[in-house]
């Protein structure tokens, strides 16, 4: 079965000068990720959201 899920979530990115990385955050899901630049941080956050939602669906936490 193939399923397409469209999700509209807000996130933020900030520079962490101590770690010299960009940190991305999705407050609705309480997920953080990071990258060497803003694009990598956003891509990493998108991946984290996708993995989180996939896990929830596969384990019956969310009905598609």
């Amino acid at each position: 079965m193939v399923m397409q899920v469209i999700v509209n979530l807000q996130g933020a990115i900030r520079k962490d000068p101590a770690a010299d990385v960009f940190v991305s955050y999705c407050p609705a899901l309480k997920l953080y990720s990071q990258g060497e630049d803003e694009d990598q941080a956003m891509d990493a956050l998108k991946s984290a959201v996708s993995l989180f939602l996939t896990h929830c669906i596969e384990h019956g936490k969310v009905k598609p």
Side-chain angles (χ1 to χ4, degrees):
M1 170 174 57
V2 175
M3 175 181 13
Q4 180 179 3
V5 177
I6 298 172
V7 179
N8 186 8
L9 297 168
Q10 291 187 350
I13 300 175
R14 68 172 180 84
K15 175 75 172 172
D16 182 343
D20 195 31
V21 295
F22 286 86
V23 178
S24 51
Y25 176 58
C26 176
L29 300 177
K30 299 179 184 166
L31 293 176
Y32 288 86
S33 201
Q34 69 181 38
E36 293 180 7
D37 59 36
E38 290 183 6
D39 290 335
Q40 284 184 2
M42 183 56 69
D43 289 343
L45 184 61
K46 288 177 185 178
S47 178
V49 168
S50 177
L51 289 169
F52 177 82
L53 293 176
T54 298
H55 175 83
C56 289
I57 291 168
E58 289 175 352
H59 290 85
K61 305 294 182 189
V62 175
K63 299 290 183 192

